Amino acid sequence: MLPRLRALLPIAVCVTLALTHGCSAEDGDDAKCAAQSGKDCHACLQFAQCYYCTSSKKCAYNPVNSFLPKASNCSLSDVRWGTCWVNFLALIISLVVIVLVIALSIGCWCYCWCKRRRTRSVERDEQRYARERQEREQRQAERRAERQTRTDAIRDKYGLSGSGQTGMGKKSKKNYQRLP
């Protein structure tokens, strides 16, 4: 994700510079827009800095630093900017809806991605715990066998093997003879 953002950084800088320097207010911009007053909407909207008011049939200059045109000039429902067939208010509302849909889509994607990642990590943890449990059981079985071997060796050494008797009424595997 970070490399994509780094790739978009130069584009964002260029757009910002173009908007601040290339579209800066010049003395001629206001005059260009005023010259289009009384004409149709398409003639006015040839210039990106101009907006057309349908109620007064005026073409007016909208400075770049103010996004919304002044309400004293024209109401937002009568303003046309960019296209003649969509009023500015509908354009703002549709852009807000589109941004919200995109934000919700990104939010849902992030939630699903995090949930899937968490599920994978839980499965990975469970597999690791099962592997560790098997290893512990194996070491325990080895220790148990080792203890049993030592116990049998001690029993054989002292003649206490479980199947024979010695001294205390138990049978012995070995045939011992007592000395007279």
Side-chain angles (χ1 to χ4, degrees), residues 20-86:
T20 57
H21 296 295
C23 299
S24 61
E26 297 175 5
D27 295 335
D29 290 340
D30 196 20
K32 286 180 192 175
C33 294
Q36 300 300 324
S37 289
K39 296 183 181 178
D40 67 337
C41 176
H42 296 288
C44 176
L45 295 182
Q46 287 178 351
F47 305 104
Q49 298 88 3
C50 300
Y51 68 89
Y52 185 75
C53 184
T54 57
S55 60
S56 65
K57 306 261 191 265
K58 259 176 129 178
C59 186
Y61 174 74
N62 188 33
V64 174
N65 57 1
S66 69
F67 179 70
L68 298 173
K70 294 179 184 175
S72 61
N73 295 344
C74 193
S75 68
L76 286 179
S77 60
D78 291 333
V79 171
R80 302 290 190 259
W81 180 72
T83 63
C84 293
W85 55 274
V86 177

